[in-house]
Short mmCIF file of all heavy atoms in Angstrom, two decimals:
data_model
loop_
_atom_site.label_atom_id
_atom_site.label_comp_id
_atom_site.label_asym_id
_atom_site.label_seq_id
_atom_site.Cartn_x
_atom_site.Cartn_y
_atom_site.Cartn_z
N LEU A 9 102.31 139.93 113.58
CA LEU A 9 103.74 139.64 113.90
C LEU A 9 104.09 138.37 113.26
O LEU A 9 103.61 137.27 113.55
CB LEU A 9 103.85 139.53 115.48
CG LEU A 9 103.31 140.78 116.23
CD1 LEU A 9 103.43 140.58 117.72
CD2 LEU A 9 103.98 142.04 115.74
N GLY A 10 104.98 138.44 112.25
CA GLY A 10 105.41 137.31 111.49
C GLY A 10 104.92 137.47 110.05
O GLY A 10 103.76 137.77 109.84
N ALA A 11 105.82 137.19 109.13
CA ALA A 11 105.44 137.34 107.70
C ALA A 11 105.77 136.11 106.94
O ALA A 11 106.14 136.13 105.71
CB ALA A 11 106.20 138.49 107.14
N GLY A 12 105.61 134.90 107.55
CA GLY A 12 105.55 133.66 106.79
C GLY A 12 104.23 133.51 106.09
O GLY A 12 103.48 134.48 105.91
N LEU A 13 103.85 132.28 105.76
CA LEU A 13 102.60 132.11 105.03
C LEU A 13 101.39 132.50 105.86
O LEU A 13 100.47 133.13 105.37
CB LEU A 13 102.45 130.62 104.59
CG LEU A 13 103.36 130.29 103.43
CD1 LEU A 13 103.29 128.80 103.09
CD2 LEU A 13 103.02 131.06 102.12
N ALA A 14 101.42 132.17 107.14
CA ALA A 14 100.24 132.54 108.00
C ALA A 14 100.14 134.04 108.11
O ALA A 14 99.05 134.58 107.94
CB ALA A 14 100.43 131.90 109.37
N GLY A 15 101.30 134.72 108.34
CA GLY A 15 101.23 136.16 108.53
C GLY A 15 100.82 136.89 107.24
O GLY A 15 100.00 137.80 107.27
N MET A 32 104.96 142.66 110.52
CA MET A 32 106.27 142.83 111.09
C MET A 32 107.03 141.45 111.00
O MET A 32 106.46 140.41 111.32
CB MET A 32 106.17 143.31 112.53
CG MET A 32 107.51 143.59 113.20
SD MET A 32 107.25 144.22 114.83
CE MET A 32 106.51 145.80 114.57
N SER A 33 108.30 141.51 110.68
CA SER A 33 109.06 140.30 110.62
C SER A 33 110.52 140.55 111.00
O SER A 33 111.10 141.54 110.64
CB SER A 33 109.02 139.72 109.21
OG SER A 33 109.93 138.63 109.09
N LYS A 34 111.11 139.57 111.74
CA LYS A 34 112.49 139.80 112.12
C LYS A 34 113.47 139.51 111.00
O LYS A 34 114.61 139.71 111.06
CB LYS A 34 112.86 138.97 113.38
CG LYS A 34 112.80 137.46 113.27
CD LYS A 34 113.14 136.84 114.63
CE LYS A 34 112.96 135.34 114.65
NZ LYS A 34 113.24 134.70 115.93
N VAL A 35 112.99 138.86 109.91
CA VAL A 35 113.77 138.75 108.71
C VAL A 35 112.95 139.34 107.54
O VAL A 35 111.74 139.49 107.65
CB VAL A 35 114.12 137.24 108.35
CG1 VAL A 35 115.03 136.66 109.42
CG2 VAL A 35 112.90 136.39 108.17
N PRO A 37 110.43 139.30 104.73
CA PRO A 37 109.34 138.33 104.68
C PRO A 37 109.55 137.11 103.80
O PRO A 37 109.21 135.99 104.22
CB PRO A 37 108.20 139.19 104.09
CG PRO A 37 108.49 140.55 104.59
CD PRO A 37 110.00 140.71 104.66
N SER A 40 111.22 134.17 105.40
CA SER A 40 110.55 133.44 106.50
C SER A 40 110.71 131.94 106.31
O SER A 40 110.93 131.45 105.21
CB SER A 40 109.09 133.80 106.56
OG SER A 40 108.91 135.20 106.82
N HIS A 41 110.61 131.24 107.41
CA HIS A 41 110.80 129.81 107.40
C HIS A 41 109.90 129.02 106.37
O HIS A 41 110.37 128.03 105.82
CB HIS A 41 110.62 129.24 108.82
CG HIS A 41 110.62 127.84 108.92
ND1 HIS A 41 111.74 127.09 108.72
CD2 HIS A 41 109.66 126.90 109.30
CE1 HIS A 41 111.47 125.86 108.91
NE2 HIS A 41 110.26 125.72 109.29
N SER A 42 108.77 129.58 106.07
CA SER A 42 107.88 128.99 105.15
C SER A 42 108.50 128.76 103.78
O SER A 42 108.03 127.93 103.00
CB SER A 42 106.57 129.86 104.93
OG SER A 42 105.77 129.84 106.08
N VAL A 43 109.50 129.55 103.51
CA VAL A 43 110.18 129.40 102.21
C VAL A 43 110.77 127.98 102.04
O VAL A 43 111.06 127.54 100.90
CB VAL A 43 111.29 130.49 102.08
CG1 VAL A 43 112.56 130.17 102.87
CG2 VAL A 43 111.65 130.70 100.65
N ALA A 44 111.04 127.31 103.17
CA ALA A 44 111.71 125.99 103.08
C ALA A 44 110.72 124.89 102.70
O ALA A 44 111.12 123.77 102.39
CB ALA A 44 112.33 125.68 104.39
N ALA A 45 109.42 125.15 102.82
CA ALA A 45 108.39 124.08 102.68
C ALA A 45 108.61 123.55 101.21
O ALA A 45 108.59 124.26 100.20
CB ALA A 45 107.02 124.64 102.87
N ALA A 46 108.66 122.19 101.17
CA ALA A 46 109.08 121.60 99.93
C ALA A 46 107.92 120.90 99.19
O ALA A 46 107.51 121.29 98.04
CB ALA A 46 110.19 120.64 100.20
N GLY A 47 107.38 119.88 99.85
CA GLY A 47 106.60 118.85 99.13
C GLY A 47 105.26 119.27 98.61
O GLY A 47 104.81 118.83 97.57
N GLY A 48 104.52 120.20 99.29
CA GLY A 48 103.20 120.59 98.78
C GLY A 48 102.11 120.85 99.80
O GLY A 48 102.44 120.95 100.98
N ILE A 49 100.93 120.98 99.26
CA ILE A 49 99.82 121.37 100.11
C ILE A 49 98.60 120.50 99.78
O ILE A 49 98.30 120.25 98.60
CB ILE A 49 99.48 122.85 99.84
CG1 ILE A 49 98.26 123.38 100.65
CG2 ILE A 49 99.34 123.20 98.36
CD1 ILE A 49 98.17 124.90 100.66
N PHE A 113 101.14 111.58 99.60
CA PHE A 113 101.82 111.98 100.79
C PHE A 113 101.38 111.01 101.96
O PHE A 113 100.35 110.33 101.88
CB PHE A 113 101.49 113.42 101.17
CG PHE A 113 102.67 114.34 101.04
CD1 PHE A 113 103.27 114.58 99.82
CD2 PHE A 113 103.22 114.98 102.14
CE1 PHE A 113 104.33 115.45 99.66
CE2 PHE A 113 104.33 115.85 102.05
CZ PHE A 113 104.90 116.06 100.80
N THR A 128 107.40 124.31 97.03
CA THR A 128 106.05 124.86 97.11
C THR A 128 105.94 126.04 98.03
O THR A 128 105.24 127.03 97.69
CB THR A 128 105.09 123.73 97.54
OG1 THR A 128 105.38 122.54 96.77
CG2 THR A 128 103.65 124.09 97.40
N TRP A 153 112.36 143.95 111.89
CA TRP A 153 111.99 144.44 113.18
C TRP A 153 111.73 143.23 114.10
O TRP A 153 111.06 142.27 113.67
CB TRP A 153 110.72 145.30 113.17
CG TRP A 153 110.97 146.68 112.66
CD1 TRP A 153 111.16 147.13 111.35
CD2 TRP A 153 110.99 147.88 113.46
NE1 TRP A 153 111.35 148.53 111.34
CE2 TRP A 153 111.21 148.99 112.64
CE3 TRP A 153 110.81 148.15 114.88
CZ2 TRP A 153 111.29 150.26 113.10
CZ3 TRP A 153 110.86 149.42 115.31
CH2 TRP A 153 111.13 150.49 114.45
N PHE A 154 112.14 143.27 115.31
CA PHE A 154 112.04 142.17 116.20
C PHE A 154 111.05 142.55 117.41
O PHE A 154 111.32 143.49 118.20
CB PHE A 154 113.43 141.88 116.84
CG PHE A 154 113.51 140.61 117.66
CD1 PHE A 154 114.07 139.50 117.13
CD2 PHE A 154 113.04 140.59 119.00
CE1 PHE A 154 114.21 138.32 117.91
CE2 PHE A 154 113.14 139.44 119.80
CZ PHE A 154 113.72 138.30 119.19
N THR A 155 109.99 141.84 117.51
CA THR A 155 108.99 142.09 118.57
C THR A 155 109.58 141.53 119.92
O THR A 155 109.94 140.35 119.94
CB THR A 155 107.68 141.31 118.30
OG1 THR A 155 107.27 141.58 117.00
CG2 THR A 155 106.59 141.78 119.28
N THR A 156 109.67 142.37 120.91
CA THR A 156 110.15 141.91 122.22
C THR A 156 109.15 141.69 123.20
O THR A 156 109.31 140.98 124.17
CB THR A 156 111.21 142.94 122.78
OG1 THR A 156 110.52 144.19 122.95
CG2 THR A 156 112.36 143.14 121.80
N ALA A 190 101.93 135.35 114.21
CA ALA A 190 102.18 134.37 113.12
C ALA A 190 103.66 134.11 113.12
O ALA A 190 104.32 134.09 112.05
CB ALA A 190 101.66 134.92 111.79
N THR A 191 104.21 133.91 114.32
CA THR A 191 105.68 133.91 114.48
C THR A 191 106.33 132.48 114.32
O THR A 191 107.52 132.35 114.57
CB THR A 191 106.03 134.46 115.83
OG1 THR A 191 105.15 133.92 116.80
CG2 THR A 191 105.89 135.95 115.87
N GLY A 192 105.58 131.46 113.95
CA GLY A 192 106.12 130.20 113.65
C GLY A 192 106.47 129.38 114.89
O GLY A 192 106.06 129.68 116.01
N GLY A 193 107.22 128.25 114.64
CA GLY A 193 107.44 127.24 115.68
C GLY A 193 108.70 127.38 116.45
O GLY A 193 109.28 128.48 116.43
N THR A 202 115.11 120.39 111.31
CA THR A 202 114.99 120.84 109.94
C THR A 202 114.71 122.32 109.88
O THR A 202 114.68 122.94 108.76
CB THR A 202 113.79 120.16 109.20
OG1 THR A 202 112.59 120.50 109.86
CG2 THR A 202 113.95 118.63 109.25
N ASN A 203 114.40 122.91 111.04
CA ASN A 203 113.90 124.30 111.05
C ASN A 203 115.02 125.35 110.91
O ASN A 203 116.12 125.15 111.36
CB ASN A 203 113.14 124.52 112.34
CG ASN A 203 111.75 123.89 112.42
OD1 ASN A 203 110.97 124.27 113.22
ND2 ASN A 203 111.59 122.88 111.57
N GLY A 204 114.59 126.51 110.37
CA GLY A 204 115.54 127.61 110.19
C GLY A 204 115.98 128.15 111.53
O GLY A 204 115.28 127.96 112.58
N ILE A 206 115.61 130.99 112.67
CA ILE A 206 114.65 131.93 113.22
C ILE A 206 113.53 131.30 113.97
O ILE A 206 112.70 131.99 114.58
CB ILE A 206 114.08 132.90 112.14
CG1 ILE A 206 113.28 132.08 111.10
CG2 ILE A 206 115.17 133.70 111.45
CD1 ILE A 206 112.49 132.97 110.14
N CYS A 207 113.48 129.97 113.99
CA CYS A 207 112.30 129.28 114.63
C CYS A 207 112.57 129.05 116.07
O CYS A 207 112.98 127.98 116.51
CB CYS A 207 112.05 127.94 113.88
SG CYS A 207 111.61 128.20 112.21
N THR A 208 112.44 130.08 116.87
CA THR A 208 112.85 130.12 118.27
C THR A 208 111.69 130.35 119.24
O THR A 208 111.85 130.64 120.42
CB THR A 208 113.94 131.15 118.54
OG1 THR A 208 113.51 132.43 117.96
CG2 THR A 208 115.26 130.78 117.88
N ASP A 210 109.37 132.57 119.62
CA ASP A 210 109.23 133.95 120.28
C ASP A 210 107.72 134.21 120.60
O ASP A 210 107.43 134.63 121.71
CB ASP A 210 109.71 135.03 119.29
CG ASP A 210 111.14 134.81 118.81
OD1 ASP A 210 111.66 133.73 119.01
OD2 ASP A 210 111.66 135.81 118.19
N GLY A 211 106.84 133.95 119.64
CA GLY A 211 105.45 134.30 119.88
C GLY A 211 104.78 133.40 120.85
O GLY A 211 103.96 133.84 121.67
N GLN A 214 105.96 134.61 124.20
CA GLN A 214 105.44 135.93 124.58
C GLN A 214 103.96 135.83 124.95
O GLN A 214 103.46 136.47 125.86
CB GLN A 214 105.66 136.91 123.37
CG GLN A 214 107.14 137.31 123.28
CD GLN A 214 107.42 138.24 122.06
OE1 GLN A 214 106.47 138.69 121.40
NE2 GLN A 214 108.66 138.45 121.78
N LEU A 241 116.26 118.35 105.52
CA LEU A 241 115.14 117.56 105.17
C LEU A 241 115.19 117.09 103.67
O LEU A 241 115.40 117.82 102.77
CB LEU A 241 113.82 118.41 105.35
CG LEU A 241 112.53 117.60 105.13
CD1 LEU A 241 112.23 116.73 106.33
CD2 LEU A 241 111.40 118.48 104.81
N THR A 243 112.32 115.84 101.43
CA THR A 243 110.89 115.97 101.50
C THR A 243 110.21 114.52 101.43
O THR A 243 110.66 113.61 100.77
CB THR A 243 110.31 116.85 100.39
OG1 THR A 243 108.89 116.81 100.45
CG2 THR A 243 110.73 116.43 98.99
N ARG A 275 103.91 110.08 109.74
CA ARG A 275 105.30 110.33 110.08
C ARG A 275 105.72 109.75 111.41
O ARG A 275 106.83 109.26 111.59
CB ARG A 275 105.52 111.86 110.15
CG ARG A 275 105.51 112.42 108.72
CD ARG A 275 105.66 113.94 108.75
NE ARG A 275 105.71 114.41 107.36
CZ ARG A 275 105.76 115.60 107.02
NH1 ARG A 275 105.79 116.59 107.90
NH2 ARG A 275 105.77 115.97 105.77
N HIS A 342 111.14 118.29 113.42
CA HIS A 342 110.62 118.95 112.20
C HIS A 342 109.52 119.97 112.46
O HIS A 342 109.49 121.02 111.86
CB HIS A 342 110.13 117.89 111.26
CG HIS A 342 109.55 118.41 109.96
ND1 HIS A 342 110.35 119.17 109.07
CD2 HIS A 342 108.35 118.33 109.39
CE1 HIS A 342 109.66 119.53 108.01
NE2 HIS A 342 108.43 119.00 108.17
N TYR A 343 108.61 119.66 113.38
CA TYR A 343 107.43 120.48 113.51
C TYR A 343 106.85 120.31 114.92
O TYR A 343 107.00 119.26 115.53
CB TYR A 343 106.45 119.97 112.45
CG TYR A 343 105.09 120.80 112.41
CD1 TYR A 343 105.04 121.94 111.61
CD2 TYR A 343 103.99 120.40 113.15
CE1 TYR A 343 103.85 122.63 111.55
CE2 TYR A 343 102.83 121.13 113.10
CZ TYR A 343 102.76 122.22 112.26
OH TYR A 343 101.63 123.00 112.27
N ALA A 364 97.97 132.24 114.38
CA ALA A 364 97.75 131.35 113.19
C ALA A 364 99.07 130.76 112.74
O ALA A 364 100.10 131.41 112.86
CB ALA A 364 97.01 132.10 112.08
N GLY A 365 99.02 129.59 112.16
CA GLY A 365 100.25 128.92 111.67
C GLY A 365 100.90 128.12 112.77
O GLY A 365 100.23 127.67 113.67
N GLU A 366 102.20 127.85 112.62
CA GLU A 366 102.85 126.91 113.51
C GLU A 366 102.91 127.45 114.98
O GLU A 366 103.05 126.64 115.94
CB GLU A 366 104.25 126.55 112.98
CG GLU A 366 104.75 125.27 113.63
CD GLU A 366 106.03 124.72 112.95
OE1 GLU A 366 106.31 125.04 111.78
OE2 GLU A 366 106.77 124.00 113.67
N VAL A 367 102.72 128.73 115.18
CA VAL A 367 102.72 129.30 116.51
C VAL A 367 101.46 128.83 117.25
O VAL A 367 101.46 128.80 118.51
CB VAL A 367 102.80 130.83 116.49
CG1 VAL A 367 101.54 131.49 115.91
CG2 VAL A 367 103.05 131.42 117.84
N ARG A 377 100.99 115.61 112.75
CA ARG A 377 100.56 116.29 111.56
C ARG A 377 100.84 115.50 110.28
O ARG A 377 101.91 114.98 110.16
CB ARG A 377 101.33 117.64 111.43
CG ARG A 377 101.08 118.33 110.09
CD ARG A 377 101.72 119.70 110.06
NE ARG A 377 103.16 119.70 109.89
CZ ARG A 377 103.82 119.61 108.74
NH1 ARG A 377 103.17 119.40 107.62
NH2 ARG A 377 105.14 119.64 108.71
N GLY A 379 101.87 115.17 106.51
CA GLY A 379 102.66 115.99 105.58
C GLY A 379 101.72 116.78 104.68
O GLY A 379 100.69 116.28 104.25
N ALA A 380 102.08 118.08 104.37
CA ALA A 380 101.34 118.89 103.46
C ALA A 380 100.04 119.49 104.03
O ALA A 380 99.33 120.16 103.38
CB ALA A 380 101.09 118.23 102.07
N ASN A 381 99.79 119.26 105.31
CA ASN A 381 98.68 119.86 106.00
C ASN A 381 99.07 121.13 106.68
O ASN A 381 98.19 121.87 107.19
CB ASN A 381 98.06 118.89 107.01
CG ASN A 381 96.82 118.16 106.46
OD1 ASN A 381 96.40 118.44 105.31
ND2 ASN A 381 96.29 117.27 107.24
N SER A 382 100.38 121.43 106.82
CA SER A 382 100.77 122.62 107.48
C SER A 382 100.64 123.86 106.66
O SER A 382 100.12 124.91 107.12
CB SER A 382 102.22 122.54 107.99
OG SER A 382 102.63 123.79 108.37
N LEU A 383 101.03 123.77 105.40
CA LEU A 383 100.81 124.94 104.50
C LEU A 383 99.34 125.29 104.50
O LEU A 383 98.97 126.51 104.51
CB LEU A 383 101.36 124.65 103.10
CG LEU A 383 102.86 124.45 103.01
CD1 LEU A 383 103.25 124.41 101.51
CD2 LEU A 383 103.66 125.57 103.68
N LEU A 384 98.48 124.22 104.46
CA LEU A 384 97.07 124.50 104.40
C LEU A 384 96.62 125.15 105.72
O LEU A 384 95.89 126.13 105.67
CB LEU A 384 96.43 123.10 104.25
CG LEU A 384 94.90 123.10 104.10
CD1 LEU A 384 94.56 123.91 102.84
CD2 LEU A 384 94.42 121.72 103.96
N THR A 386 98.39 127.06 107.70
CA THR A 386 98.78 128.49 107.76
C THR A 386 97.87 129.35 106.94
O THR A 386 97.46 130.46 107.36
CB THR A 386 100.24 128.66 107.16
OG1 THR A 386 100.24 128.30 105.80
CG2 THR A 386 101.27 127.90 107.92
N TYR A 497 113.02 132.50 125.14
CA TYR A 497 111.82 131.98 124.48
C TYR A 497 111.83 130.43 124.34
O TYR A 497 110.93 129.73 124.63
CB TYR A 497 111.51 132.61 123.20
CG TYR A 497 111.37 134.15 123.18
CD1 TYR A 497 111.89 134.88 122.17
CD2 TYR A 497 110.80 134.85 124.28
CE1 TYR A 497 111.84 136.28 122.09
CE2 TYR A 497 110.77 136.20 124.25
CZ TYR A 497 111.23 136.95 123.16
OH TYR A 497 111.18 138.29 123.12
C1 LIG Z 1 112.34 121.83 105.33
C2 LIG Z 1 110.83 121.94 105.59
C3 LIG Z 1 109.91 121.52 104.62
C4 LIG Z 1 108.58 121.64 104.80
N1 LIG Z 1 107.70 121.21 103.82
C5 LIG Z 1 106.38 121.34 104.00
C6 LIG Z 1 105.46 120.92 103.04
O1 LIG Z 1 105.86 120.51 101.96
N2 LIG Z 1 104.19 121.09 103.29
C7 LIG Z 1 103.66 121.59 104.40
O2 LIG Z 1 102.45 121.64 104.61
N3 LIG Z 1 104.50 121.98 105.41
C8 LIG Z 1 105.87 121.91 105.25
N4 LIG Z 1 106.69 122.28 106.24
C9 LIG Z 1 106.19 122.98 107.42
C10 LIG Z 1 105.80 124.41 107.12
O3 LIG Z 1 106.78 124.93 106.22
C11 LIG Z 1 105.75 125.33 108.31
O4 LIG Z 1 105.13 124.71 109.40
C12 LIG Z 1 105.11 126.63 107.98
O5 LIG Z 1 105.67 127.23 106.84
C13 LIG Z 1 105.09 127.62 109.10
O6 LIG Z 1 104.63 128.83 108.63
P1 LIG Z 1 104.29 130.10 109.61
O7 LIG Z 1 103.73 131.10 108.78
O8 LIG Z 1 103.49 129.55 110.76
O9 LIG Z 1 105.68 130.53 110.20
P2 LIG Z 1 107.13 130.91 109.56
O10 LIG Z 1 107.13 130.68 108.08
O11 LIG Z 1 108.10 130.20 110.42
O12 LIG Z 1 107.22 132.47 109.78
C14 LIG Z 1 107.41 133.03 111.04
C15 LIG Z 1 107.53 134.53 110.86
O13 LIG Z 1 107.60 135.10 112.19
C16 LIG Z 1 108.63 136.06 112.20
N5 LIG Z 1 109.02 136.21 113.68
C17 LIG Z 1 109.28 135.22 114.53
N6 LIG Z 1 109.64 135.76 115.70
C18 LIG Z 1 109.52 137.09 115.55
C19 LIG Z 1 109.77 138.22 116.42
N7 LIG Z 1 110.19 138.09 117.69
N8 LIG Z 1 109.59 139.45 115.90
C20 LIG Z 1 109.24 139.64 114.60
N9 LIG Z 1 109.01 138.63 113.77
C21 LIG Z 1 109.14 137.39 114.24
C22 LIG Z 1 109.64 135.51 111.31
O14 LIG Z 1 110.56 136.51 110.90
C23 LIG Z 1 108.79 134.94 110.14
O15 LIG Z 1 108.44 136.01 109.27
C24 LIG Z 1 108.07 122.17 106.08
C25 LIG Z 1 108.94 122.58 107.00
C26 LIG Z 1 110.34 122.50 106.76
C27 LIG Z 1 111.26 122.90 107.87
#
Side-chain angles (χ1 to χ4, degrees):
L9 306 179
L13 286 175
M32 183 179 292
S33 170
K34 64 181 175 180
V35 294
S40 297
H41 173 66
S42 293
V43 76
I49 178 167
F113 248 65
T128 312
W153 280 76
F154 187 104
T155 313
T156 61
T191 45
T202 62
N203 287 199
I206 61 170
C207 299
T208 49
D210 306 12
Q214 287 175 10
L241 184 79
T243 175
R275 290 176 176 177
H342 181 59
Y343 183 87
E366 199 169 336
V367 68
R377 169 174 76 83
N381 262 357
S382 167
L383 295 189
L384 187 59
T386 61
Y497 303 142

